[in-house]
């Protein structure tokens, strides 16, 4: 090792939300750093299992461009969710009135949009993990008293996600046409979670 070599580990990013879940460890929601996280995000969004994310053919440069753009918006935010300091999910939030989805339904005051992409599983699936993760994400989303209803709009073909959201307490809304997909609106109000 040369004397000039950087031997410091990257700084641990400040979380916007941190929550311990019994049996699952500590979940931390940290803002995406487009420069630092492009490789990881690219590896996730280009896997076949992430086809509904709509980025299967995206280059690393395109992923960086997209997350740089999101990073500059005040209405849309991207986060990595860490479980005991290991990234396990990509979580995005948005204000529906500032998004194409807002043109497809009557946005209510307090609506708050979310997208979730689970990272690839390591080893066997862990019973209860997705429910634990969703409980953390919903606690974060509803921690802002202005957010009274969570809005999700998965691809209508994504039965797995729609079923998971229904089991979490979301209710079905109408199907809508977005620029890149036919989607199913799902809603979760603060008092029904």
């Amino acid at each position: 090792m040369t004397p000039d070599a950087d031997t410091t580990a990257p700084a641990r990013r400040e979380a916007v939300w941190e929550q311990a879940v019994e049996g699952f460890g500590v979940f931390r929601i940290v803002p995406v750093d487009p420069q630092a996280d492009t490789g990881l995000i690219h590896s996730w969004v280009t896997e076949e299992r992430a086809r509904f994310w709509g980025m299967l053919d995206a280059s690393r440069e395109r992923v960086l461009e997209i997350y740089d753009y999101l990073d500059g918006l005040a209405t849309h935010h991207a986060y990595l969710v860490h479980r005991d300091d290991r990234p396990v999910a990509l979580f995005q939030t948005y204000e529906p009135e500032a998004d194409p989805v807002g043109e497809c339904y009557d946005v209510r005051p307090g609506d708050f949009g979310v997208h979730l992409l689970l990272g690839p599983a390591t080893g066997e699936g862990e019973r209860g993990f997705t429910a634990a993760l969703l409980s953390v994400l919903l606690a974060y989303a509803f921690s802002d008293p202005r957010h009274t209803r969570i809005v999700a709009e998965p691809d209508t073909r994504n039965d797995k996600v729609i079923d998971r959201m229904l089991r979490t307490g979301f209710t079905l809304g109408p199907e809508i046409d977005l620029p890149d997909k036919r989607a199913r609106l799902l809603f979760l109000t603060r008092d029904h979670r």
Side-chain angles (χ1 to χ4, degrees), residues 13 112 119 160 163 178 192:
R13 286 186 221 157
F112 188 64
K160 232 174 145 174
D163 180 59
L178 293 171
H192 285 102

Side-chain angles (χ1 to χ4, degrees), residues 175-189:
E175 288 188 6
I176 59 171
D177 289 310
L178 293 171
D180 57 345
K181 67 181 178 183
R182 178 102 175 132
R184 167 66 81 172
L185 284 172
L186 293 155
F187 301 101
L188 179 69
T189 58

Side-chain angles (χ1 to χ4, degrees), residues 13-18 28-31 79 140 143:
R13 286 186 221 157
E14 187 173 335
V16 296
W17 186 260
E18 188 169 319
R28 299 177 70 247
I29 303 173
V30 299
Y79 304 96
Y140 169 64
S143 70

Side-chain angles (χ1 to χ4, degrees), residues 48-179:
E48 174 56 28
R49 65 176 192 80
R51 68 190 169 283
F52 295 119
W53 201 254
M55 297 177 72
L56 284 180
D57 298 323
S59 66
R60 284 177 61 102
E61 293 75 22
R62 180 66 180 137
V63 171
L64 176 59
E65 181 181 294
I66 289 167
Y67 285 90
D68 262 341
Y69 174 74
L70 284 176
D71 195 44
L73 297 176
T75 57
H76 292 64
H77 302 284
Y79 304 96
L80 283 175
V81 183
H82 292 247
R83 176 187 181 191
D84 296 331
D85 293 322
R86 184 177 60 85
V88 295
L90 178 60
F91 180 57
Q92 294 176 195
T93 65
Y94 63 92
E95 295 173 17
E97 66 274 4
D99 191 86
V101 74
E103 298 171 16
C104 300
Y105 83 102
D106 291 328
V107 178
R108 293 183 190 169
D111 279 1
F112 188 64
V114 298
H115 298 291
L116 175 63
L117 175 66
L118 296 178
T122 55
E124 301 260 335
E126 189 176 3
R127 187 165 181 79
F129 170 76
T130 304
L133 174 64
L134 283 171
S135 73
V136 170
L137 299 178
L138 293 173
Y140 169 64
F142 282 125
S143 70
D144 184 330
R146 296 172 299 175
H147 302 158
T148 57
R149 185 170 71 157
I150 305 300
V151 179
E153 30 47 64
D155 189 294
T156 56
R157 299 167 295 167
N158 197 343
D159 297 329
K160 232 174 145 174
V161 165
I162 293 170
D163 180 59
R164 173 75 258 179
M165 300 303 256
L166 291 173
R167 285 184 285 134
T168 302
F170 282 77
T171 58
L172 287 176
E175 288 188 6
I176 59 171
D177 289 310
L178 293 171

